[in-house]
Amino acid sequence: MLVGCIKPFDPQIEEMEESYLVVDGSIDISTGKGNIILTRTQSLDVVNRITYEVGASVWLETEDGKTIPFIETEAGVYTSNLPGLDKEDVTRLNINTRENEVYQSDFVPVKISPEIDSISWKADDEGLKLYVNTHDPTNNTRYYRWEYIETAEYNSRFLSKYIYNANSGEIERRDQENQNIYLCWRNDTSTTIFLGNSAKFEEDLIIGKEIRTIEPDSWKHRFKYSILARQFALTKEEYDYWQNIKQSTENIGSLFDTQPSNIGGNIRSITNPERPVIGFFSLGSSTEKRIIIHSNELPPNWKNKGYFIPNYCTESDIEGVGVEEFYAELTETALIIDVVYSLFTGEIVLVYTALPECIDCSIDKRGSPIKPDYW
Amino acid sequence: MMIITQTSFAQEDLLITEKFDNISFSDVVTIIESKSEYHFYFDEKSMDSVRISQEFNQEKLASVLYKIFKDSDYHYAINKQQVFITKGREIRTELPINYFNVTILSNENYYDVALIDFLEDDNNQGLTKKLEIHEIGIPSKKIKDGKAKISGKISNLLNGEYVIGAVVYQEESGIGAASDALGNYTINIPTGRTQLKVSSIGMEEITLEILLYSDGVLDIEMKEQVTALKEVVIVAERGANLTQTQMGLEKINMKAMKQVPTVLGEVDVMRVVLTLPGVQSTGENTTGLNVRGGSTGQNLILFNNATIYNPSHLFGFFSVFNPEVVKDVQLYKSGIPAHYGGRLSSVLEVESKEGNRKKFSVSGGISPITGRLLVEGPIIKDKLSFLVSGRSTYSDWILSMIPNEDVQNSSGSFYDLHASITYDKNENNRLSLSSYYSDDKFRFGNDTVYQYNNFNTTVKWKTIFNKKFYGEFESGVSQYKYNISSDGIPAYAFNSDYKINQFNIQADLNYIHKKHSFSFGGSSIYYQLSPVSLSPLGNESIIVNDLIPDEQGLESAIYFGDQIEIGDKLSIYGALRFSFYQFLGPGTVHEYDPQLPKEDDTIIKTTIYDSNEIIKSYKGPELRLSARYKIHENSSLKLSFHRMRQYIHMLSNTISISPTDTWKLSDSHIKPEIGDQISLGIYQNLNSNAIETSVEAYYKTMKNFLDYKDGAQLFLNRNIERDIIGTDGIAYGIEVMVKKVTGKFNGWVSYTYSRSLLKTKATEGVESINQGEYYPSSYDKPHDVTVVSNYKVSRRFSVSFNLTYSTGRPITLPLGKYSLKQSERLYYSERNEFRIPNYFRLDFSMNLEGNHRIKKLAHSSWSLSVYNLTGRDNAYSVFYRAEDGQIKGYLLSIFGSAIPTITYNFKF
């Protein structure tokens, strides 16, 4: 009744006149392959479209004069398998855009992350909470960043028992092992920046850094849930950089907000020093850890609460069509739930079908029907 | 029933021929007065309902009055040219000698002296008025022409408290004087038969009929308004706006404050101050004041002369001043007198009541948030009195209203206590002791507890050496501290403390010599400050002790000033204050390469200082000037200039002042803030001072203002100078106000146009903001309209409306976005390039007082208020935030709906 509120609002900001280079420059060498992604800033009203910076030359340069080139493998994505890069190297990033603007970073060391000790979890009224725990016995890391990829299993509303074989033109029983569209696995990547530091601690120890909370009624823990946490070691400067971005894009809207701002990273324009450039170049080797949680480990009253499938898929949506009609309107995406055979002829006379999204769990890239190997 | 007592036969020759057709008695009086020398004395309100429809032909006044009041409960009496009308009780115009302990003289040559006790029926005792003629000096048959001096003491009839700052004023000559710290006044006016008006906030204005022969003494007792409702909303002394040299001074008494609609039922000093022109804040949840374009850390907030470092309770929703105990509040915005110093923008002086010297009394109240209680009374009657009061929260439902999940899951409480003792050794010496303590505690989320306290004690001695020389000596201690502790994860359990201690001594002396009123004195403040520290809590904690060394400083000042009257029209106050400050060891000072940003790498020298060694000292003069010129009877012009120097700075980079804001002393890097302000005002009173109009304009410069680098970290920062940017500021504005101070309908309308702009010294690099161009401060709100109104429906019932409109405050918003780390991110504009939507709010309140018999055991009152009557979603901030990888725009409002509350108050 008396509650103050936060409501959606659009202050009508004019379009940005210029766009600036954005460098996703966190190179993770643990995979033996490094990526630099170049994009551009956009106006606020642009929806779901990223402007990639294509056709640039990108290379690393070590303090002792080695050069490591990157190749544009996708639009705006520059890749290298980092030939000759040594863990002791101090390196900087060079970018030369196709419009001949030259950008250069500060020299940075390679930061090797210690192992994640464990991922712990707790289920309480607020939901399933997941925490990372780590330490560095040499007390050298101190500043950390985490990302995660979580995987959850779900099923479509209706099980498709039959499949139309285009080669033979026949309706056949579906092979649930190899032609599975009922069980899917969906991956979601963290969208917030998780930071932690042990600068004020005696030991370089991080305990119980929360990285994820899943509500009790979420579909994600209906069957089984898995999370893969990835840990990066940062320099103090990089930590401060991400802290500011987090502060001004995620932790905003409180009663005691500080001034949001664009804090400069370690990359600058050589062509025009006044020209803003966004991003921080760093080289590191990450570590990762995965855990899997079964639904039977979670509170019993959480059971069978959430569904991922569209809520308009109900029993009454199942449509029975005559087989002739089915063949007449046959499309490649036609999915069959079940069939009815004639008692007399043994032929299929009726085909039960429904909207594809109620039958195929993988439709619209919602998830993959291929079971992950760790499952 | 009708009794006529007629003892005089003045103007027997006046014959009245009039036809009255359903007109009010007031109109009848106006007609008669206009045609004769008669003057009527009566209570207009009690005669409101009397309508007259009669015709008179060549009739004497007595006969007219007889006919009018025949069969009514009214009585009349005619004494020479004076006509008295009373209700329910007759008047005799002759009284026994010494009946009211006043000497009654019959001086045939001049005037008959009539002493009328003009009492109403018991229900209206609050309106008791006295009409008497006071003879002053040595009576003589013939009064000498020229001037004579009247002096005396002004005190409160009810509790004997001296009335300070009461204005004694003779209208005809325009001469006025104010009572000093011990209630003494002296006024030099032409001899003869005249009237003296005496007014003071919270008191009934009185008019004294005097007959001045020669120099003499007149002690005046003023009566407090028992009926709060009768009080005007905000009372500056009537007419004082014209006579005082001081400008930019706003004075509010507590009774007036109680009529202003409240938020959540708490009468709040700071919220009322916020309705004054030139005072703004960054949002509804803060009691941080921005006075004439200054920051919240530039106000000297004094409670009984002791510094209050954190004036807010519960995140800033309430101020720390218990409304029960506050007597009045004064806010100096310009022309600040020389005995104040140390802050750039304003002085807010909150004065508490003194214990009742006559009788014991208990008062209190209850609102949805707090309960309040005050006990006061004499220990030795008329000599020694005490006052103890307290206020405490009893629920934290307010937290559930704050639109923030963390806050909603929190719990908070606060209380404040105040005690004072006043001792009147004799009429020339008064000693008082006042102590104050406030405590706030809240649990944020599950495991973090914030607690902060204000504590202070002052001893004050007011003394009069002789009639012309008096002074005030004072010593005190003020403390502010906070503590944050968290024990959610034993390994990370910590304690964090901050503390500031201030010890001060002060002497203020006044010497009156002819037309000069000299003031001089000095003060010294020793600061001891423990910056935020971090320490482990419990055995398992792996937190490392992080103690930042204490800071010490000594701030002293001496001043000398003179207030001089030049003729009747011009009054000038000029003063010089000289302040000096030492930042004292022990301490370590880094010297940085002046060409480069302050960083570890740019330190060129580090010096270690011993205990009490002077690390850095600053000093400088502060000029204070005010002048008033009376253009004529009803208008005056004022001009003032002041320079202020500030040696202790509030560190805060949040929108609103937060409980974790700290104070920092000037040191080798942080120079004193210096502020100059020049202001000009023109004042015009209309309708015999019932309507006051004013226009004040000011221009202000601020040097060494503190602003912060982008992404500045203030918490646990050992080298705060690296995150602070030296900034200069300018502020200017014009404040227009029309105020109606009397009548059933009173209140004011004000409009302010003001700007507050800042500019960094550096034009590029991390120490610059917006390339060194001027940018608006976070509280730059150019247009501001305030309407405060109160309508008294009856003596016991009144209705108030408040209206506030202002430009939205400046804010930094994103210009664009980009994608990084699987989410959209924001690219921000330069600082404060945008504004939040404009602010509009209408409040309403109703006050219902109980019966007002003075003899009644208990008085009680109810008030109902509705804050934000229109339920408008006023923006506190507008922001964009990334959620699930997408940028979304939001508007945050504090009170997004109408909030009704009921409060009950009692006194017995």
Side-chain angles (χ1 to χ4, degrees):
Chain A
M1 150 189 97
L2 299 174
V3 176
C5 59
I6 293 179
K7 64 174 190 187
F9 184 73
D10 178 12
Q12 306 286 331
I13 292 167
E14 283 171 36
E15 283 188 20
M16 235 174 130
E17 283 171 15
E18 277 186 279
S19 76
Y20 305 122
L21 184 68
V22 180
V23 182
D24 186 348
S26 310
I27 294 179
D28 181 5
I29 62 170
S30 65
T31 56
K33 198 175 86 171
N35 278 343
I36 295 283
I37 303 165
L38 301 183
T39 55
R40 287 266 163 186
T41 58
Q42 299 170 305
S43 290
L44 283 169
D45 50 8
V46 174
V47 182
N48 285 333
R49 181 165 50 82
I50 295 173
T51 319
Y52 287 98
E53 179 70 16
V54 296
S57 318
V58 176
W59 69 98
L60 300 188
E61 176 191 354
T62 61
E63 219 169 19
D64 50 16
K66 282 184 283 185
T67 300
I68 302 163
F70 280 60
I71 294 151
E72 188 171 8
T73 49
E74 285 172 52
V77 180
Y78 299 82
T79 310
S80 165
N81 53 8
L82 307 169
L85 184 75
D86 202 86
K87 282 179 182 172
E88 273 71 47
D89 278 340
V90 180
T91 313
R92 74 177 172 198
L93 173 70
N94 291 276
I95 300 164
N96 197 344
T97 67
R98 72 191 148 143
E99 262 138 31
N100 254 329
E101 288 178 286
V102 181
Y103 295 90
Q104 194 173 56
S105 77
D106 292 341
F107 279 105
V108 299
V110 179
K111 293 288 285 183
I112 312 287
S113 167
E115 290 299 323
I116 297 174
D117 293 334
S118 64
I119 297 174
S120 51
W121 60 271
K122 181 171 90 177
D124 62 20
D125 293 347
E126 288 166 43
L128 172 63
K129 293 175 178 167
L130 295 132
Y131 310 91
V132 287
N133 305 291
T134 188
H135 79 285
D136 176 6
T138 65
N139 288 345
N140 274 331
T141 304
R142 295 291 178 183
Y143 298 94
Y144 298 87
R145 185 173 70 81
W146 295 274
E147 291 175 359
Y148 67 76
I149 298 173
E150 63 181 5
T151 311
E153 182 181 318
Y154 64 96
N155 59 285
S156 57
R157 181 68 181 85
F158 308 119
L159 174 65
S160 167
K161 291 180 183 162
Y162 291 85
I163 185 169
Y164 171 72
N165 186 334
N167 293 332
S168 62
E170 297 284 311
I171 293 173
E172 299 168 355
R173 279 202 154 264
R174 184 181 284 272
D175 175 354
Q176 296 297 348
E177 193 89 350
N178 297 314
Q179 295 172 324
N180 165 42
I181 54 166
Y182 182 67
L183 278 181
C184 276
W185 290 265
R186 179 183 164 88
N187 292 332
D188 283 301
T189 311
S190 53
T191 54
T192 49
I193 297 166
F194 299 102
L195 296 169
N197 79 77
S198 64
K200 303 280 182 199
F201 309 153
E202 274 168 51
E203 300 151 52
D204 192 349
L205 174 68
I206 300 286
I207 308 165
K209 170 68 195 179
E210 190 177 318
I211 53 167
R212 183 80 174 108
T213 300
I214 303 164
E215 300 74 45
D217 58 358
S218 168
W219 64 271
K220 291 207 169 179
H221 46 65
R222 190 178 175 86
F223 303 111
K224 219 181 188 186
Y225 171 85
S226 170
I227 192 165
L228 175 72
R230 185 171 290 282
Q231 175 171 300
F232 300 85
L234 311 181
T235 58
K236 167 99 171 59
E237 290 70 34
E238 189 180 3
Y239 180 89
D240 289 343
Y241 180 79
W242 293 119
Q243 182 69 46
N244 185 64
I245 289 201
K246 186 177 176 66
Q247 195 70 39
S248 50
T249 61
E250 294 173 14
N251 293 356
I252 194 163
S254 79
L255 298 181
F256 301 111
D257 275 358
T258 53
Q259 277 282 357
S261 59
N262 308 314
I263 208 171
N266 63 349
I267 307 169
R268 73 195 64 79
S269 167
I270 301 295
T271 322
N272 176 7
E274 296 291 301
R275 191 167 176 77
V277 49
I278 292 148
F280 201 97
F281 168 63
S282 66
L283 267 172
S285 181
S286 70
T287 53
E288 60 177 39
K289 188 131 204 137
R290 174 182 298 283
I291 61 159
I292 295 174
I293 298 166
H294 288 265
S295 64
N296 57 17
E297 296 173 80
L298 296 171
N301 60 340
W302 289 13
K303 272 234 172 346
N304 300 327
K305 282 226 168 124
Y307 290 94
F308 183 60
I309 46 159
N311 57 9
Y312 53 79
C313 295
T314 63
E315 297 282 345
S316 58
D317 291 327
I318 299 175
E319 200 185 351
V321 291
V323 73
E324 288 81 13
E325 195 187 334
F326 176 77
Y327 281 117
E329 292 174 10
L330 189 64
T331 61
E332 280 194 25
T333 56
L335 296 169
I336 304 160
I337 299 170
D338 213 341
V339 295
V340 175
Y341 288 92
S342 162
L343 274 177
F344 308 104
T345 63
E347 294 285 304
I348 294 169
V349 287
L350 201 60
V351 175
Y352 288 106
T353 184
L355 290 169
E357 60 265 39
C358 302
I359 302 170
D360 183 355
C361 63
S362 69
I363 207 157
D364 297 335
K365 292 184 180 169
R366 275 188 271 156
S368 156
I370 297 151
K371 188 196 259 191
D373 49 6
Y374 49 83
W375 208 257
Chain B
M1 187 209 73
M2 181 77 212
I3 298 165
I4 308 164
T5 316
Q6 198 170 333
T7 57
S8 286
F9 307 93
Q11 293 200 352
E12 278 296 86
D13 50 331
L14 175 75
L15 294 172
I16 296 164
T17 305
E18 290 290 341
K19 189 182 172 190
F20 301 131
D21 187 14
N22 193 30
I23 64 169
S24 71
F25 183 71
S26 302
D27 293 337
V28 172
V29 167
T30 315
I31 292 165
I32 298 174
E33 282 183 347
S34 70
K35 296 185 172 174
S36 68
E37 295 294 305
Y38 283 107
H39 194 76
F40 281 71
Y41 295 88
F42 66 104
D43 181 30
E44 265 180 64
K45 274 165 237 113
S46 74
M47 312 258 334
D48 268 358
S49 57
V50 180
R51 311 298 292 188
I52 295 144
S53 297
Q54 283 184 43
E55 206 178 325
F56 303 98
N57 195 3
Q58 295 286 316
E59 290 186 53
K60 287 179 182 170
L61 179 63
S63 154
V64 171
L65 292 175
Y66 174 77
K67 285 182 180 166
I68 289 174
F69 295 122
K70 180 176 65 174
D71 305 326
S72 80
D73 199 18
Y74 294 97
H75 306 267
Y76 75 91
I78 302 171
N79 181 34
K80 295 245 168 180
Q81 291 155 339
Q82 297 165 322
V83 183
F84 303 97
I85 312 293
T86 56
K87 192 184 176 188
R89 185 188 288 203
E90 65 173 295
I91 311 170
R92 292 178 296 163
T93 50
E94 283 177 328
L95 285 165
I97 298 288
N98 292 334
Y99 185 74
F100 282 103
N101 205 13
V102 174
T103 320
I104 296 171
L105 296 166
S106 183
N107 194 323
E108 299 118 7
N109 287 343
Y110 294 92
Y111 305 93
D112 267 356
V113 176
L115 176 69
I116 309 298
D117 181 39
F118 187 14
L119 282 176
E120 296 190 5
D121 63 300
D122 285 351
N123 282 334
N124 284 325
Q125 279 192 359
L127 284 177
T128 303
K129 273 180 184 160
K130 273 188 179 158
L131 183 85
E132 48 189 285
I133 295 178
H134 302 273
E135 299 206 350
I136 296 158
I138 303 148
S140 58
K141 290 265 171 181
K142 185 136 177 74
I143 298 175
K144 263 196 226 162
D145 279 350
K147 284 186 172 181
K149 203 176 283 169
I150 308 172
S151 56
K153 217 174 230 336
I154 305 175
S155 58
N156 184 330
L157 181 71
L158 219 58
N159 57 18
E161 232 178 63
Y162 300 135
V163 181
I164 300 158
V167 171
V168 182
Y169 182 65
Q170 192 205 28
E171 232 161 11
E172 300 141 44
S173 64
I175 297 171
S179 62
D180 65 19
L182 280 175
N184 297 311
Y185 77 96
T186 306
I187 185 168
N188 201 10
I189 56 167
T191 53
R193 176 72 172 81
T194 184
Q195 284 186 336
L196 270 189
K197 287 198 167 167
V198 188
S199 59
S200 176
I201 52 167
M203 301 288 171
E204 242 177 73
E205 185 181 88
I206 47 178
T207 304
L208 296 166
E209 302 290 330
I210 63 162
L211 186 52
L212 181 60
Y213 295 103
S214 59
D215 289 2
V217 177
L218 177 67
D219 288 342
I220 301 165
E221 288 193 322
M222 298 188 81
K223 188 151 197 169
E224 224 175 290
Q225 296 270 345
V226 182
T227 49
L229 299 181
K230 194 179 174 297
E231 190 68 52
V232 292
V233 174
I234 286 200
V235 189
E237 295 89 354
R238 276 180 78 184
N241 62 327
L242 298 179
T243 48
Q244 279 179 346
T245 314
Q246 177 69 46
M247 65 185 292
L249 169 66
E250 306 281 355
K251 204 166 179 179
I252 313 169
N253 79 330
M254 206 54 219
K255 281 182 183 131
M257 285 187 203
K258 284 180 178 165
Q259 291 176 355
V260 177
T262 60
V263 55
L264 306 165
E266 287 292 299
V267 173
D268 202 306
V269 170
M270 301 297 243
R271 287 193 186 271
V272 179
V273 169
L274 275 168
T275 63
L276 298 171
V279 186
Q280 286 170 329
S281 76
T282 51
E284 287 171 284
N285 62 320
T286 179
T287 48
L289 307 179
N290 299 108
V291 181
R292 286 190 169 174
S295 73
T296 51
Q298 293 175 341
N299 306 312
L300 181 63
I301 299 171
L302 298 173
F303 180 75
N304 287 344
N305 279 4
T307 310
I308 300 285
Y309 281 94
N310 186 344
S312 54
H313 270 318
L314 205 68
F315 311 103
F317 280 91
F318 305 104
S319 76
V320 294
F321 304 109
N322 178 355
E324 207 70 44
V325 78
V326 173
K327 186 168 85 180
D328 60 39
V329 176
Q330 297 193 57
L331 176 75
Y332 293 85
K333 297 185 292 191
S334 61
I336 298 176
H339 60 276
Y340 292 118
R343 299 291 186 280
L344 237 54
S345 284
S346 78
V347 177
L348 182 76
E349 199 183 55
V350 180
E351 204 54 57
S352 79
K353 289 199 271 200
E354 287 170 356
N356 194 321
R357 250 162 272 203
K358 306 267 190 204
K359 60 166 193 145
F360 279 94
S361 100
V362 178
S363 60
I366 192 158
S367 76
I369 311 290
T370 67
R372 314 182 296 276
L373 194 68
L374 181 146
V375 182
E376 58 182 329
I379 299 171
I380 303 166
K381 203 175 175 204
D382 287 331
K383 267 206 170 307
L384 183 62
S385 68
F386 77 96
L387 182 150
V388 180
S389 77
R391 169 172 71 153
S392 173
T393 47
Y394 61 88
S395 77
D396 49 40
W397 67 268
I398 184 190
L399 295 174
S400 64
M401 299 178 34
I402 299 168
N404 178 309
E405 224 171 275
D406 288 333
V407 177
Q408 282 167 6
N409 296 329
S410 309
S411 63
S413 62
F414 65 80
Y415 65 87
D416 44 54
L417 301 169
H418 166 64
S420 73
I421 290 176
T422 313
Y423 176 56
D424 287 295
K425 189 165 172 281
N426 51 42
E427 64 174 6
N428 287 333
N429 285 286
R430 159 176 290 193
L431 201 61
S432 53
L433 177 79
S434 160
S435 194
Y436 173 85
Y437 184 80
S438 85
D439 181 87
D440 263 80
K441 195 173 187 173
F442 52 94
R443 182 173 279 276
F444 214 59
N446 288 322
D447 48 32
T448 308
V449 178
Y450 290 73
Q451 185 167 19
Y452 60 91
N453 311 102
N454 281 297
F455 165 73
N456 62 59
T457 298
T458 46
V459 185
K460 197 157 50 172
W461 174 42
K462 289 182 184 178
T463 184
I464 298 176
F465 303 109
N466 60 48
K467 279 224 165 293
K468 292 180 162 178
F469 188 31
Y470 57 93
E472 207 175 294
F473 301 88
E474 192 188 291
S475 172
V477 51
S478 298
Q479 188 186 72
Y480 172 66
K481 61 180 180 187
Y482 76 70
N483 171 277
I484 306 168
S485 65
S486 177
D487 56 3
I489 298 170
Y492 295 162
F494 71 88
N495 236 325
S496 180
D497 290 293
Y498 173 82
K499 190 165 81 182
I500 176 162
N501 273 323
Q502 163 186 326
F503 306 92
N504 60 293
I505 50 168
Q506 187 168 343
D508 298 301
L509 295 154
N510 286 280
Y511 181 72
I512 297 161
H513 180 68
K514 291 185 179 157
K515 293 196 162 181
H516 295 268
S517 174
F518 298 107
S519 53
F520 50 94
S523 64
S524 199
I525 305 169
Y526 178 72
Y527 298 103
Q528 191 184 36
L529 206 140
S530 309
V532 183
S533 66
L534 188 72
S535 57
L537 182 66
N539 297 331
E540 289 172 57
S541 177
I542 57 165
I543 299 277
V544 186
N545 253 315
D546 190 358
L547 300 174
I548 301 176
D550 285 3
E551 291 179 359
Q552 297 76 223
L554 186 66
E555 179 186 338
S556 310
I558 48 169
Y559 69 91
F560 180 85
D562 182 15
Q563 164 109 35
I564 179 170
E565 305 283 336
I566 302 166
D568 287 345
K569 299 203 156 176
L570 186 63
S571 168
I572 294 174
Y573 169 78
L576 188 71
R577 181 184 170 93
F578 196 89
S579 63
F580 30 103
Y581 168 84
Q582 290 94 30
F583 185 63
L584 301 168
T588 306
V589 177
H590 299 305
E591 197 181 313
Y592 300 91
D593 185 330
Q595 309 300 324
L596 295 168
K598 299 184 183 75
E599 286 165 18
D600 265 342
D601 301 342
T602 59
I603 295 175
I604 51 176
K605 197 174 139 197
T606 297
T607 319
I608 293 165
Y609 293 88
D610 283 342
S611 193
N612 289 327
E613 205 177 332
I614 295 171
I615 298 176
K616 182 80 190 173
S617 63
Y618 296 100
K619 59 180 181 293
E622 302 173 33
L623 186 65
R624 313 288 172 85
L625 287 173
S626 301
R628 180 223 72 206
Y629 180 74
K630 268 198 93 168
I631 301 168
H632 56 77
E633 191 70 12
N634 291 320
S635 58
S636 66
L637 190 71
K638 296 181 195 180
L639 181 71
S640 75
F641 171 83
H642 71 220
R643 163 166 286 196
M644 309 294 289
R645 293 170 69 90
Q646 179 165 351
Y647 299 101
I648 182 163
H649 318 276
M650 187 195 248
L651 299 180
S652 172
N653 63 346
T654 50
I655 309 169
S656 302
I657 51 171
S658 95
T660 55
D661 287 341
T662 59
W663 293 78
K664 167 90 184 76
L665 291 170
S666 274
D667 60 16
S668 308
H669 302 287
I670 297 166
K671 294 189 185 113
E673 294 174 60
I674 299 171
D676 290 346
Q677 189 191 160
I678 185 158
S679 48
L680 178 70
I682 183 156
Y683 307 81
Q684 168 88 48
N685 285 9
L686 307 167
N687 209 356
S688 59
N689 292 345
I691 293 173
E692 298 177 352
T693 63
S694 65
V695 179
E696 284 189 25
Y698 64 92
Y699 183 86
K700 195 168 167 178
T701 60
M702 293 174 274
K703 254 175 83 178
N704 305 325
F705 190 88
L706 271 62
D707 210 335
Y708 307 89
K709 275 186 194 172
D710 287 338
Q713 264 301 328
L714 305 182
F715 191 71
L716 282 172
N717 188 335
R718 277 174 179 273
N719 301 293
I720 199 82
E721 67 270 12
R722 298 180 191 174
D723 278 352
I724 286 174
I725 312 176
T727 308
D728 289 340
I730 54 167
Y732 51 87
I734 185 158
E735 298 162 3
V736 182
M737 190 163 182
V738 177
K739 185 151 71 168
K740 183 167 182 296
V741 290
T742 54
K744 281 194 162 187
F745 182 71
N746 58 53
W748 77 84
V749 179
S750 74
Y751 166 76
T752 305
Y753 175 79
S754 62
R755 296 302 311 266
S756 169
L757 305 168
L758 301 172
K759 185 176 133 137
T760 56
K761 286 171 185 156
T763 55
E764 56 177 24
V766 291
E767 289 184 358
S768 74
I769 294 169
N770 301 6
Q771 291 86 46
E773 302 285 331
Y774 275 112
Y775 60 96
S777 68
S778 296
Y779 35 84
D780 172 57
K781 304 201 266 189
H783 300 280
D784 183 299
V785 175
T786 304
V787 178
V788 172
S789 66
N790 178 259
Y791 184 72
K792 190 174 65 181
V793 179
S794 75
R795 182 151 310 138
R796 289 173 52 195
F797 181 59
S798 75
V799 179
S800 304
F801 278 98
N802 260 22
L803 181 150
T804 311
Y805 167 86
S806 67
T807 315
R809 70 175 170 84
I811 191 170
T812 309
L813 282 180
L815 292 172
K817 62 180 181 180
Y818 57 91
S819 206
L820 203 56
K821 300 287 171 236
Q822 299 87 44
S823 171
E824 291 183 332
R825 308 284 168 192
L826 296 163
Y827 183 77
Y828 281 95
S829 71
E830 306 218 298
R831 198 173 284 191
N832 292 341
E833 214 176 272
F834 295 89
R835 286 181 184 276
I836 63 171
N838 294 344
Y839 184 92
F840 172 82
R841 197 186 80 231
L842 185 66
D843 306 331
F844 164 77
S845 83
M846 255 166 30
N847 289 293
L848 180 66
E849 297 272 327
N851 201 330
H852 272 109
R853 288 160 187 268
I854 281 183
K855 296 273 151 40
K856 213 174 112 176
L857 183 67
H859 295 275
S860 65
S861 67
W862 288 92
S863 84
L864 166 76
S865 66
V866 184
Y867 182 84
N868 196 11
L869 197 61
T870 59
R872 184 181 147 94
D873 268 348
N874 277 307
Y876 168 71
S877 74
V878 165
F879 59 92
Y880 280 89
R881 185 160 68 188
E883 274 168 15
D884 298 326
Q886 303 289 315
I887 291 296
K888 287 168 188 156
Y890 292 101
L891 180 147
L892 166 65
S893 56
I894 306 282
F895 298 113
S897 58
I899 299 174
T901 34
I902 289 181
T903 314
Y904 174 73
N905 294 301
F906 65 89
K907 186 182 174 93
F908 56 84

